């Protein structure tokens, strides 16, 4: 397993904000201790032209203007470059996966809420959408984005919906932020679940979504890996247990598809253990 990580990504924070540096700092320490065979790589800055696969020039300019994007999404000094490192990490995971090495981006900010021209929901650049379009540009025929973050990846859907060679598949809490993803349409398959859905039902729905991933027979699987469907997450109302993330990892291991995963949400202090369980499943099958 190759982990993409850049120390820049812990260099911003807002008091009381759940998307905090400790998420990745503690996870990095946990992985170094428990998975000593993992290889760590530093991502490059994604080029502006690559960002434009998914975002408008206007959006890129806006990220440099020192003004909050919404109540959840503050402006931070250097956020443009920090987010570009996270996009670079996503691109790095794609290159690794295509070269036969599964990879994970342990970076912040997350990305799946960012649309073509709006930063929102803690997200500034949509790393996974850019990565999917980048893979297509590199000649990858079919790509699936599987999003098991508990929030709907509205930005990813908005960016990818005109791209039939890419399938976007999401399981998420509804009602819940951002309030989208109620219906499936075209290449976007949505599985909304009510708050408090019993864990057996939640896992069954995830499994149905996983069957859809396999059905599409992708040449590359990109995973929006959010760990906020966990029952101990402070900002959501769902029910997954730690061991369920190992099951998700096992499904990936059993599929034999080049796979890259990107950290999205997950705000519990148990996040390092949740990611650790995901890896246990993924590397041991
Ligand atoms: Zn989330």
């Amino acid at each position: 397993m190759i982990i993409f990580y850049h120390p820049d990504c812990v260099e911003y924070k807002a008091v009381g904000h759940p998307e905090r540096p400790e998420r990745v700092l503690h996870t990095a320490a946990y992985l170094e201790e428990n998975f000593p065979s993992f290889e760590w790589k530093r991502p490059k800055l994604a080029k502006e032209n690559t960002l434009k696969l998914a975002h408008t020039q206007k959006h890129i300019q806006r990220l440099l203007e020192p003004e909050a994007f919404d109540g959840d999404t503050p402006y931070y000094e250097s956020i443009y470059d920090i987010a570009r490192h996270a996009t670079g990490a996503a691109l790095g995971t794609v290159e690794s996966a295509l070269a036969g090495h599964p990879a994970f981006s342990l970076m912040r900010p997350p990305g799946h809420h960012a649309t073509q021209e709006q930063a929102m929901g803690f997200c500034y650049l949509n790393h996974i959408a850019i990565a999917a379009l980048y893979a297509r540009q590199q000649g990858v025929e079919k790509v699936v984005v599987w999003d098991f973050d508990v929030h709907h990846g509205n930005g990813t859907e908005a960016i990818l919906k005109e791209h039939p060679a890419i399938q976007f598949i999401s399981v998420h809490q509804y009602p819940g932020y951002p309030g989208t993803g109620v219906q499936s349409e075209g290449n976007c398959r949505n599985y909304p679940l009510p708050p408090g859905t019993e864990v057996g039902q939640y896992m069954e729905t995830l499994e149905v979504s996983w069957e859809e991933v396999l059905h599409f027979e992708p040449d590359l699987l990109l995973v929006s890996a959010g760990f906020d469907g966990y029952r101990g997450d402070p900002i959501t109302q769902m029910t997954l247990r730690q061991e369920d993330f190992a099951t998700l990892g096992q499904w990936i291991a059993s599929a034999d598809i080049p796979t890259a995963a990107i950290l999205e949400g997950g705000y519990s202090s148990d996040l390092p253990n949740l990611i650790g369980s995901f890896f246990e499943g993924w590397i041991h099958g």
Side-chain angles (χ1 to χ4, degrees), residues 112-113 122 149-152 226-229 235-236 264-267:
H112 73 153
H113 295 307
F122 319 165
D149 186 283
V150 80
H151 302 100
H152 180 238
F227 296 82
D228 41 12
I235 69 168
T236 61
E264 300 282 2
Y267 307 98

Side-chain angles (χ1 to χ4, degrees), residues 19 49 53 58 61 77 80 83 130 133 140 148 161 163 175 199 203 219-220 222 265 271 281-282 284:
E19 203 288 280
N49 266 346
L53 289 170
K58 190 173 154 212
Q61 291 303 125
E77 206 187 324
Y80 174 56
I130 296 166
L133 293 166
V140 177
F148 67 73
K161 70 180 177 191
H163 296 271
V199 66
M203 285 303 287
D219 302 293
L220 176 69
L222 301 179
L271 181 64
W282 188 359
H284 295 131

Side-chain angles (χ1 to χ4, degrees), residues 43-55 57 60 80-81 83-89 91 95 125 130 134 137-138:
K44 297 182 207 135
L45 276 177
K47 296 194 177 85
E48 195 173 291
N49 266 346
T50 312
L51 306 182
K52 284 186 189 162
L53 289 170
H55 295 287
Q57 178 67 36
I60 292 167
Y80 174 56
D81 280 348
R84 269 205 300 161
H85 265 144
T87 301
L91 300 173
E95 281 161 9
L125 292 171
I130 296 166
Y134 172 78
Q137 200 182 50
Q138 303 302 302

Side-chain angles (χ1 to χ4, degrees), residues 190-204:
N190 288 311
Y191 294 89
L193 289 171
T197 297
E198 183 269 318
V199 66
Q201 167 82 47
Y202 193 167
M203 285 303 287
E204 263 175 45

